[in-house]
Amino acid sequence: MSLINSPSRVTVGDANYMDWGGAGAGLNNHYRTTYKDDQKSMMEVALISNMDPVNIGLGCSDKPAPVTSLKPRKKTMTSVYLKFFETAADGKTRRCKFCGQSYSIATATGNLGRHLANRHPGYDKSGEAVSNAAARPVTVVKKSQPHGKANQVDYDHLNWLLIRWLVLASLPPSTLEEKWLVNSYKFLNPSIQLWPSDKYRTVLDEVFRSMREDVRALLEQVSSKVSITLDFWTSFEQIYYMSVTCQWIDENWCFQKLLLDICRIPYPCGGAEIYRSLIKVLKFYNIENRILSCTHDNSTSAMHACHTLKEDLDGQKIGPFCYIPCAARTLNAIIDDGLRSAKQVISKIREFAIELNASPVISEDFIQLSTAYQEGIWKFPLDVSARWSGNYQMLDLVRKAGKSVDAVIRKYEEVLGSRMLLGSSDKSAVSIMHQYLEPFYKTTNNICTSKVPMVGLVLFFVDHISETITSFRESRLSPEWLKNAAEEMAKKARNYINQVCNIFTYMTAILDPRIKGDLIPDSLNSENFLDEARTHFIRNYSASHFSSMSSGYNAQEIEDGGSVSFAEEIARKKRRTSMSSATDELTQYLSEAPAPIPTDVLEWWKVNSTRYPRLSVMARDFLAVQATSVVPEELFCGKGDEIDKQRICMSHDSTQAILCIKSWIQVGIKFKFKSTEIDYERLMELAAAAAATDNSPSSSDKKQR
C-alpha cells in the first residue's frame, strides 16, 4: 500500500501474531514470532505540523544502548539483516521495511546493520532483539513508496501508553522494571520491548519541559491579576516539596486553576529557601508583576517567605500584594483541638467500624438491627479514616445507632470482644461532643461542596464558628473538659482572624455580592477599610477608557434583542439615574441588598458586569484570592489519605514531572513531546482495533495452527 506523504503524521507498524508450539517442551520453547509478509495496514499517530519531518527519536540517542557489558563482536557478512529490507522491483535497490530508506543493491550488509542500529535500535541484534530494552524511535516517512509494505511491530505504541499510565496513576518509571510486570508482557509476546526506566525518565522530563512552555504561553494571555497558593509535604525520602498553584478569573467569568510547579526545597527548608524557590517560579512564568495574593499553609517558614516576597514587591512598587493563611487548615486545627478530648472513645468506635467493614455477616446484621430500631440507613464501607469526616462519622454512628452498636457487639462478643462496649459516661461524652461539633461539620461540608470557596463566604463561616466556640465556653451547662477544649479552639480562631484582618481581604469580602457590608465579620467591618477600598477603586479602576455608564442601553439590553419589558425598561432607567448620581460604582453596589447565599458569585458578576463595568474589573482581580491553600476535601475527608500516599511515596526523580503533567492533562493542556503532540485518543483506538482483530475467529485459527 502507499505510505502517508505528510510531515505531520507518524506511521507505525501493526502487531505480529504468535505461533504456539507443541506441548511437552519448556514454556519458552513454545513461543516463536513469525513475521508475516502480508502485514496489516499501518497505524497512525496524529502529530502537530511543526514536528521534525525525519525523526522524532523520542529522546533516545543516535546510537543504541548496549544490551550487555560484553564487548560486541564484529558482525559477519551474512544475510542476518536482509530480512528487514526488501528488494525493489527493478532489482537495483533495497528498501528498509521500517522507514523506507533505500540503499544500492551492492551496499554491504554491514551498512544495513549500521542503519538498523542508528535508526531502529534493537533490530540490528537479530535474534537478540527480544531481550534488547532500548527504545526504538518512531520515524516519519517523507515520501510515498508505492510498493512499500507495512512496518514490523512498533512497540512505541505500547511504551507511550505506559507513559500515560505512569502519569495518570502517579507512579515512578521504576515501576516498569518490576520483574513480574515485564514477564507478563513477555508471556503475551516475547518480542515486546519495554523502554528502560532511564528512557522513561528522559521522555517524561522532555514532556514536562514541552508542556511547561504551553503553560507559560497560556499565562501570558491572562489579562487580570492572578493569585497563588502554596502547599507543602515531605516525601518518604525526607525531601521537602512545595507546590505552587495559580488562580484567576477569565473574561467569561470562569474560575481557572493551574498548577505551576512542584519545587524541591533545599535544606534547611526555611523561609529563605522557600522564597528563592517561589520567586524562581514566578519569574519563569513572568507573573511576579501581576500577582495579587498568596495563600500559604499557615507554617512559620511559609509565612516568612511570603513576608519577604511582599517586601520585595512593595520595594519595586509593582502593585498591591497580600498573603493570608489557609482557612481550611485553620479549621482543621481547631477541630483537632475539639476532638482530642474524645480521642479514646473515637478509637473504640473506629475499631468497631473496621470490623463491620471487614465482615459482610456482621455488617448485614447491623443493617437489619438499625432498620428494626429505626436508627437510620447506613452504607458500607463506613468511613474510618483519621480525617475529620471519619472522626465525625464515628461520633455519628454511636449518636444515631447506639442500640444497634450495642446489640451487634453483644451478639459477636467472642469475635469483637467486650472492650468495644461503651459505658454511660462514654455515650454522654459522645452526645455532647457530637452536638458541639455539628456546626463544624456543616461548615466544612458547605466549604467542600462550594463551587469556589470565596474568601467572603469562608470568613462568614469562620465568624460563625467563633461564635459557637464562645457560646459553649461560656455556657454553665458545658462540662469542664469541653470548656478547656473550647479555650484552645478559640485561641486558634482569634489568631486566624488577626492574620486575615486587612484591607485586601476586606475588599475581597465586600465584592462577594452575597456578603457585601451586611454579612462581613465585625473584625473586618471598619469605616477606615471602606474609605481605603474606595480610594483603591478610584485610583486603580476608574480609568477613562471605560464607556460611560449612562449612555444608552447596556450590553445586556442588546443581548435581549430589544425585548425588554416596560417595567424592566423603567427599572433600568432608574438604575442609571441612581448610579449617575452616586459618587462611584462601589458606593452604588454596596447600597443594594446582598444576593441570596446560594447565588453563583461569578455568574452574578457576569450578568451585572455591564451595570458595573469598572467595579467588575476589580472584582475579577480580587475574587480570585483564595481562602484555602489546598482543596478542602484533602483535609476534611478520606480523599486526602489517597493524595498524601500518592505524593509521599513518589520518588524524587519523577515527582515534579509526573505530578505536573498529570495536573496539566486534567485541565486540558495537550500531552506533547518536544513540538510533537501525542494523540492518545488515536492510540487507544488503534489498540482497540488491534485487540478486536487479534480476537477474531480467523486470527484464533491462525494461532492454533
Side-chain angles (χ1 to χ4, degrees):
M1 59 175 286
S2 62
L3 303 180
I4 295 177
N5 183 16
S6 171
S8 64
R9 299 189 74 82
V10 173
T11 59
V12 291
D14 206 348
N16 288 315
Y17 293 108
M18 297 277 301
D19 282 347
W20 294 77
L27 183 61
N28 288 336
N29 293 329
H30 285 193
Y31 308 131
R32 60 187 177 86
T33 303
T34 303
Y35 291 98
K36 303 294 185 180
D37 292 332
D38 53 341
Q39 292 294 322
K40 300 284 183 181
S41 60
M42 303 169 67
M43 301 180 184
E44 300 176 86
V45 180
L47 303 173
I48 63 175
S49 59
N50 61 339
M51 59 175 286
D52 181 359
V54 178
N55 191 321
I56 57 166
L58 305 181
C60 65
S61 60
D62 291 335
K63 296 182 179 180
V67 178
T68 66
S69 60
L70 297 177
K71 183 177 180 180
R73 67 178 183 274
K74 185 177 180 181
K75 297 291 183 181
T76 59
M77 298 291 286
T78 66
S79 61
V80 68
Y81 307 123
L82 295 181
K83 64 182 178 180
F84 301 113
F85 292 82
E86 57 186 357
T87 303
D90 57 7
K92 296 180 180 181
T93 58
R94 288 193 181 96
R95 183 168 54 248
C96 176
K97 294 181 180 180
F98 298 112
C99 65
Q101 179 68 42
S102 296
Y103 290 91
S104 169
I105 196 72
T107 301
T109 55
N111 289 334
L112 303 183
R114 279 188 287 276
H115 169 84
L116 291 171
N118 293 331
R119 299 294 295 274
H120 316 292
Y123 290 98
D124 59 308
K125 307 300 182 185
S126 186
E128 302 172 16
V130 170
S131 60
N132 184 6
R136 175 188 154 210
V138 177
T139 57
V140 179
V141 179
K142 295 168 57 177
K143 293 184 178 180
S144 215
Q145 305 291 338
H147 301 290
K149 294 184 179 179
N151 290 352
Q152 301 291 348
V153 178
D154 192 306
Y155 295 110
D156 282 332
H157 271 178
L158 173 62
N159 285 297
W160 278 108
L161 289 172
L162 289 175
I163 283 278
R164 182 80 166 200
W165 172 60
L166 289 177
V167 168
L168 296 181
S170 301
L171 296 172
S174 58
T175 303
L176 297 176
E177 292 183 334
E178 182 64 39
K179 177 181 177 181
W180 290 103
L181 179 64
V182 174
N183 286 344
S184 297
Y185 281 111
K186 295 296 184 184
F187 177 80
L188 295 174
N189 189 339
S191 63
I192 282 179
Q193 302 173 60
L194 298 185
W195 293 343
S197 61
D198 58 346
K199 168 68 175 181
Y200 286 107
R201 276 189 286 270
T202 300
V203 171
L204 282 168
D205 289 342
E206 183 57 48
V207 170
F208 167 73
R209 287 190 290 269
S210 299
M211 296 181 70
R212 186 169 60 169
E213 290 299 325
D214 288 348
V215 173
R216 179 158 62 175
L218 189 155
L219 287 173
E220 289 176 354
Q221 301 174 11
V222 176
S223 60
S224 63
K225 293 279 189 178
V226 300
S227 295
I228 61 171
T229 57
L230 307 180
D231 190 25
F232 301 85
W233 73 91
T234 303
S235 72
F236 73 100
E237 296 169 316
Q238 294 302 296
I239 296 175
Y240 194 52
Y241 289 103
M242 172 181 70
S243 65
V244 184
T245 307
C246 180
Q247 296 90 11
W248 71 94
I249 298 172
D250 64 20
E251 291 84 352
N252 294 320
W253 289 95
C254 294
F255 181 79
Q256 303 293 343
K257 181 177 181 180
L258 190 61
L259 176 66
L260 299 184
D261 209 342
I262 291 178
C263 312
R264 177 178 178 177
I265 307 299
Y267 181 83
C269 311
E273 291 75 26
I274 292 174
Y275 166 75
R276 284 193 289 270
S277 298
L278 176 58
I279 200 69
K280 184 178 179 181
V281 174
L282 299 180
K283 286 183 179 297
F284 176 83
Y285 288 105
N286 195 29
I287 59 173
E288 72 274 15
N289 60 342
R290 291 186 287 149
I291 182 173
L292 178 61
S293 75
C294 177
T295 308
H296 56 78
D297 73 334
N298 303 8
S299 66
T300 303
S301 297
M303 194 182 305
H304 287 167
C306 290
H307 182 72
T308 305
L309 179 61
K310 178 172 175 57
E311 289 182 334
D312 186 17
L313 296 177
D314 288 348
Q316 299 178 47
K317 297 182 179 179
I318 290 177
F321 173 77
C322 70
Y323 57 94
I324 60 175
C326 174
R329 292 190 182 278
T330 300
L331 280 173
N332 200 53
I334 291 172
I335 292 168
D336 282 345
D337 284 339
L339 290 170
R340 195 168 291 118
S341 55
K343 186 176 181 179
Q344 291 183 344
V345 176
I346 292 175
S347 296
K348 283 185 179 181
I349 307 170
R350 178 176 285 107
E351 188 175 356
F352 169 74
I354 290 173
E355 294 291 342
L356 282 183
N357 289 340
S359 173
V361 176
I362 299 177
S363 60
E364 183 60 32
D365 275 355
F366 176 80
I367 292 173
Q368 292 179 1
L369 286 168
S370 60
T371 302
Y373 287 130
Q374 297 183 346
E375 291 184 328
I377 299 174
W378 300 86
K379 294 182 179 180
F380 287 85
L382 299 173
D383 183 2
V384 295
S385 68
R387 303 274 169 172
W388 160 235
S389 59
N391 283 315
Y392 187 78
Q393 179 95 15
M394 299 303 99
L395 295 172
D396 205 41
L397 187 67
V398 174
R399 179 74 174 82
K400 296 179 179 177
K403 292 180 181 179
S404 303
V405 171
D406 287 346
V408 168
I409 293 175
R410 289 192 175 93
K411 181 177 180 179
Y412 295 95
E413 186 173 354
E414 293 183 2
V415 177
L416 303 178
S418 59
R419 68 186 185 281
M420 295 185 186
L421 283 171
L422 299 179
S424 58
S425 59
D426 290 336
K427 291 181 179 179
S428 176
V430 167
S431 180
I432 294 171
M433 185 58 67
H434 185 275
Q435 181 184 0
Y436 177 50
L437 292 178
E438 189 172 13
F440 293 81
Y441 176 75
K442 292 179 179 179
T443 296
T444 56
N445 187 58
N446 196 291
I447 292 175
C448 289
T449 54
S450 295
K451 185 178 180 181
V452 180
M454 298 291 183
V455 170
L457 189 64
V458 171
L459 292 178
F460 168 75
F461 280 128
V462 172
D463 189 56
H464 172 66
I465 289 296
S466 298
E467 293 175 355
T468 301
I469 295 172
T470 300
S471 64
F472 270 86
R473 188 181 56 177
E474 296 176 353
S475 174
R476 291 179 298 175
L477 301 176
S478 299
E480 197 62 30
W481 58 266
L482 182 58
K483 289 183 178 181
N484 293 334
E487 182 62 35
E488 294 300 318
M489 299 168 80
K491 289 180 182 178
K492 287 184 172 60
R494 286 195 299 269
N495 183 49
Y496 172 79
I497 291 172
N498 290 336
Q499 290 186 61
V500 300
C501 186
N502 58 62
I503 179 59
F504 298 99
T505 51
Y506 173 81
M507 287 190 287
T508 303
I510 64 173
L511 288 171
D512 187 329
R514 303 167 299 181
I515 305 299
K516 294 190 176 181
D518 299 54
L519 300 180
I520 199 167
D522 292 337
S523 56
L524 276 177
N525 201 2
S526 165
E527 284 294 330
N528 292 334
F529 280 166
L530 180 58
D531 292 339
E532 288 184 53
R534 184 176 289 107
T535 300
H536 181 83
F537 167 67
I538 294 174
R539 181 188 301 123
N540 297 286
Y541 295 95
S542 292
S544 58
H545 65 268
F546 287 104
S547 59
S548 174
M549 295 185 310
S550 57
S551 58
Y553 287 104
N554 55 31
Q556 181 63 42
E557 292 170 308
I558 297 174
E559 291 178 4
D560 292 336
S563 59
V564 180
S565 68
F566 178 69
E568 179 62 20
E569 183 178 343
I570 296 175
R572 293 185 181 185
K573 287 180 179 179
K574 285 185 176 294
R575 290 191 192 108
R576 285 195 294 273
T577 302
S578 175
M579 291 182 66
S580 63
S581 61
T583 56
D584 54 68
E585 289 182 23
L586 179 60
T587 302
Q588 174 64 27
Y589 163 80
L590 293 175
S591 68
E592 298 178 357
I597 292 296
T599 300
D600 185 321
V601 174
L602 299 184
E603 186 63 28
W604 188 95
W605 273 107
K606 183 177 182 179
V607 172
N608 289 276
S609 58
T610 51
R611 295 181 58 211
Y612 305 109
R614 299 172 177 84
L615 190 62
S616 63
V617 177
M618 182 176 173
R620 274 185 60 203
D621 288 346
F622 280 87
L623 290 177
V625 176
Q626 291 297 283
T628 64
S629 62
V630 294
V631 179
E633 292 94 322
E634 293 184 23
L635 295 174
F636 298 137
C637 73
K639 177 183 177 183
D641 294 330
E642 299 175 8
I643 294 173
D644 282 348
K645 181 180 178 181
Q646 166 186 299
R647 297 192 302 188
I648 291 172
C649 294
M650 179 71 66
S651 59
H652 77 278
D653 60 346
S654 52
T655 296
Q656 180 189 43
I658 286 183
L659 295 184
C660 285
I661 293 171
K662 179 179 180 179
S663 176
W664 295 338
I665 289 174
Q666 290 172 343
V667 297
I669 297 175
K670 298 298 184 182
F671 193 103
K672 293 177 70 173
F673 177 83
K674 295 182 179 178
S675 60
T676 301
E677 180 185 321
I678 308 301
D679 190 344
Y680 275 102
E681 291 185 4
R682 178 62 176 157
L683 274 177
M684 293 301 293
E685 290 175 2
L686 295 172
T693 303
D694 196 47
N695 293 329
S696 64
S698 58
S699 176
S700 301
D701 293 341
K702 289 180 181 179
K703 289 184 178 181
Q704 291 174 3
R705 290 198 295 270

